[in-house]
């Protein structure tokens, strides 16, 4: 088995006297996905933040590409894609300008047609020169998906990637994540309930009161389309 | 270098579009200057050089605290600061890009303030103003570096907005004294040699604040 790209070893996190994560152990290999299921306040977002190196664990270690997440070199950070509840987009820049900025930041040597192609793909081509502040939450989430993927990361951390998306948008997000998995990207994403997509590559584990329960196989797909029931709930 | 250019270009684009930092800087600087003029009632000319220099620096510092720090604080909208933190951009380069943006905004504001200063204090547009420019440039860059650094710190602590004025002024006092003395000497028509020591002190502070920001920015952007 390939070495895991995303790992947590005995990860504890407390805010004051309140424990949020209690000894989380996980690992995600290239081309595999981990769906972390949990209720509101279960610690899902905190876990992803620690995995990304955005916060310091109280104890234990979060690792990306075999290195502690807090000590990633720029070359390793270039291999990470992150999607959170915040879009990380500049409201006063247009969709195209935002993507141009992140492309420059990640030194993506993409063809000039790359950004229009991405915008077309997520259904935002007509809004390429609109400022993000005028976007609906769902449109912003579609653009944030492109921002997280434009540099073809090797590891993806996604906090409820289907939130705020309509059924078409949720299907699109599922397709993009599936494509990332197929090219060898390791994906850890959070959700409120079971997701039925990329079942052959993903494992679901439930986060309950800060403990990540043992893995079980994701439910088999029952029809041709992925079921993303929670997307409708999130809207 | 590419990351530095990308961040600076993005900040300038946003500023040209919204103008929030520069407008705040200009408006606050001029308001402070007007208050100083009414309070001190200058008679005009070289005799008021120390008062004019003091007013100019008070305006620059208090306006700078509000305006220059925005280049960092504005990144907190939509979590963009986290995006920069996670990106492969070198954090030292990020500090320098933010410093460059803050300095450019302050230059624009200070240009407006110097014009108002000449009018309010009945000064002449002559070589004495030009002689004041090195002190202003050094002071502006040093203060922008300090404000950028403190803005990053203020985002990490509870009630960080209050921390900014509490820390900025005491830390900047040595450079402030040197700046006021150098500016007053320049406005009074003193020779360059009379300004040199003050300029050296300011240059030393610039090096200190820029080096501190370059080294510490990485640690200040992370979260607990």
């Amino acid at each position: 088995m390939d070495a895991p790209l995303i790992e947590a070893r005995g990860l504890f996190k407390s805010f004051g006297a309140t424990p949020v994560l209690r000894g989380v152990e996980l690992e995600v290999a290239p081309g595999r996905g981990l769906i972390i299921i949990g209720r509101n306040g279960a610690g899902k977002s905190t876990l992803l933040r620690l995995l990304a190196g955005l916060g310091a664990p109280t104890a234990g270690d979060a690792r990306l590409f075999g290195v502690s997440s807090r000590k990633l070199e720029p070359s390793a950070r270039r291999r990470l894609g992150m999607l959170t509840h915040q879009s990380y987009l500049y409201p006063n820049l247009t969709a195209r300008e935002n993507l141009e900025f992140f492309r420059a930041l990640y030194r993506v040597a993409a063809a000039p047609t790359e950004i229009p192609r991405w915008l077309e793909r997520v259904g935002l081509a007509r809004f390429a020169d609109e400022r993000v502040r005028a976007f609906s939450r769902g449109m912003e989430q579609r653009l944030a998906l492109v921002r997280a993927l434009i540099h073809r990361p090797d590891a993806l951390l996604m906090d409820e990637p289907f939130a705020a998306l309509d059924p078409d948008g949720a299907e699109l997000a599922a397709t993009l994540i599936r494509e990332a998995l197929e090219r060898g990207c390791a994906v850890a994403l959070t959700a409120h309930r079971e997701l039925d997509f990329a079942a052959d590559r993903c494992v679901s584990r439930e986060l309950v009161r800060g403990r990540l329960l043992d893995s079980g196989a994701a439910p088999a797909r029952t029809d041709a389309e992925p079921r993303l029931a929670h997307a409708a709930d999130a809207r | 270098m590419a990351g530095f250019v990308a961040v600076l270009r993005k900040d300038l684009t946003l500023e040209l579009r919204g103008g929030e930092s520069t407008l705040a800087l200009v408006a606050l600087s001029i308001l402070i200057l007007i208050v100083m003029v009414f309070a001190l009632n200058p008679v005009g000319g070289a005799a008021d050089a120390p008062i004019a220099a003091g007013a100019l620096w008070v305006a620059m510092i208090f306006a700078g605290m509000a305006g220059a720090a925005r280049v960092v604080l504005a990144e907190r909208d939509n979590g963009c600061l986290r995006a920069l933190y996670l990106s492969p951009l070198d954090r030292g380069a990020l500090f320098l890009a933010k410093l460059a943006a803050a300095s450019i905004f302050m230059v624009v504001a200070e240009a407006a303030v110097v014009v108002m200063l000449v009018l309010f204090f009945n000064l002449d547009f002559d070589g004495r103003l030009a002689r004041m420019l090195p002190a202003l440039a050094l002071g502006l860059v040093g203060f922008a570096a300090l404000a950028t650094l403190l803005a990053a710190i203020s985002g990490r602590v509870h009630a960080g907005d209050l921390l900014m004025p509490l820390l900025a002024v005491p830390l900047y006092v040595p450079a402030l004294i040197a700046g006021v003395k150098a500016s007053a000497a320049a406005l009074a028509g003193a020779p360059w040699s009379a300004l040199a020591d003050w300029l050296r002190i300011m240059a030393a502070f610039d090096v200190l604040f820029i080096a501190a920001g370059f080294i510490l920015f990485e640690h200040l952007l992370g979260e607990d």
Side-chain angles (χ1 to χ4, degrees):
Chain A
M1 184 182 167
D2 292 322
L5 299 183
I6 304 169
E7 289 173 86
R9 298 280 172 242
L11 201 60
F12 282 83
K13 180 68 178 178
S14 300
F15 292 110
T18 309
V20 177
L21 298 176
R22 308 169 194 230
V24 171
E25 300 270 345
L26 65 84
E27 56 180 53
V28 187
R32 312 303 298 179
L34 171 65
I35 301 170
I36 302 160
I37 298 166
R39 306 174 70 148
N40 291 334
K44 305 185 296 296
S45 299
T46 301
L47 175 54
L48 285 197
R49 282 191 338 104
L50 296 188
L51 288 171
L54 282 171
T58 307
D61 198 14
R63 301 171 77 84
L64 286 170
F65 317 116
V67 178
S68 179
S69 299
R70 298 281 279 180
K71 296 174 183 167
L72 289 183
E73 293 293 320
S75 58
R77 294 203 299 269
R78 201 212 159 282
R79 299 171 64 196
L80 173 67
M82 180 92 180
L83 185 79
T84 70
H85 291 294
Q86 291 179 301
S87 67
Y88 294 178
L89 296 167
Y90 292 90
N92 275 334
L93 293 184
T94 66
R96 188 196 311 275
E97 287 169 339
N98 265 291
L99 295 184
E100 290 282 5
F101 173 65
F102 283 101
R103 191 179 72 159
L105 217 52
Y106 281 85
R107 297 180 193 177
V108 180
T113 54
E114 185 79 356
I115 286 176
R117 199 159 47 226
W118 267 111
L119 290 169
E120 183 76 44
R121 181 129 198 242
V122 296
L124 294 175
R126 281 192 303 131
F127 307 99
D129 296 314
E130 298 280 334
R131 291 191 200 179
V132 167
R133 70 188 311 168
F135 281 15
S136 70
R137 180 71 187 93
M139 292 163 74
E140 198 169 334
Q141 182 76 348
R142 286 173 182 237
L143 191 61
L145 274 166
V146 180
R147 177 198 52 72
L149 291 164
I150 195 167
H151 57 290
R152 294 175 63 84
D154 293 326
L156 258 177
L157 301 173
M158 310 178 98
D159 199 359
E160 296 180 34
F162 304 104
L165 292 173
D166 57 25
D168 286 348
E171 183 61 56
L172 173 73
T175 304
L176 292 173
I177 296 168
R178 203 179 293 122
E179 286 174 4
L181 286 164
E182 283 164 5
R183 67 172 171 75
C185 181
V187 179
L189 64 86
T190 66
H192 288 299
R193 57 181 73 170
E194 291 273 0
L195 299 178
D196 184 12
F197 84 108
D200 53 332
R201 290 181 176 273
C202 292
V203 167
S204 298
R205 295 178 66 184
E206 193 170 1
L207 189 64
V208 182
R209 288 191 289 277
R211 293 183 207 280
L212 196 59
L213 304 185
D214 285 341
S215 59
R221 284 168 57 171
T222 53
D223 50 41
E225 300 296 321
R227 283 189 286 110
L228 301 164
H230 78 292
D233 297 342
R235 269 182 285 131
Chain B
M1 191 64 187
F4 170 87
V5 172
V7 173
L8 181 58
R9 186 192 298 145
K10 182 267 299 171
D11 281 351
L12 295 180
T13 302
L14 287 173
E15 189 60 23
L16 284 171
R17 217 158 264 177
E20 291 168 355
S21 298
T22 311
L23 283 177
L25 275 163
V26 171
L28 200 53
S29 298
I30 292 175
L31 277 175
I32 292 168
L33 208 53
I34 289 171
V35 169
M36 299 289 280
V37 168
F38 280 120
L40 300 172
N41 195 22
V43 292
D48 279 334
I51 296 175
L56 174 68
W57 282 82
V58 168
M60 186 178 98
I61 285 180
F62 282 96
M65 272 191 282
R70 270 203 60 78
V71 297
V72 174
L73 300 178
E75 293 286 359
R76 299 194 187 282
D77 295 346
N78 273 4
C80 291
L81 196 60
R82 286 178 174 168
L84 294 176
Y85 181 79
L86 291 173
S87 80
L89 175 65
D90 179 81
R91 278 84 185 246
L94 175 59
F95 170 76
L96 293 179
K98 290 291 169 191
L99 167 61
S103 298
I104 290 169
F105 303 158
M106 286 186 76
V107 164
V108 174
E110 286 319 297
V113 170
V114 168
V115 170
M116 301 304 286
L117 185 83
V118 169
L119 297 176
F120 288 158
F121 284 84
N122 198 23
L123 302 172
D124 294 320
F125 284 101
D126 58 15
R128 286 176 293 180
L129 279 183
R131 210 171 293 163
M132 193 174 65
L133 289 182
L136 271 184
L138 287 171
L140 185 149
V141 169
F143 191 79
L146 179 62
T148 306
L149 188 60
L150 291 180
I153 295 173
S154 70
R156 285 179 61 95
V157 295
H158 181 64
D161 292 348
L162 291 173
L163 197 67
M164 180 85 181
L166 287 176
L167 286 180
V169 175
L171 285 171
Y172 196 68
V173 159
L176 175 65
I177 293 169
V180 172
K181 295 285 187 188
S183 301
L187 287 176
W192 282 108
S193 57
L195 280 63
D197 285 345
W198 298 120
L199 294 180
R200 279 193 205 101
I201 292 172
M202 297 179 78
F205 264 80
D206 284 8
V207 170
L208 180 71
F209 290 140
I210 292 171
F214 189 84
I215 294 165
L216 296 176
F217 212 55
E218 167 156 19
H219 306 288
L220 298 176
L221 291 182
E223 298 169 29
D224 295 328

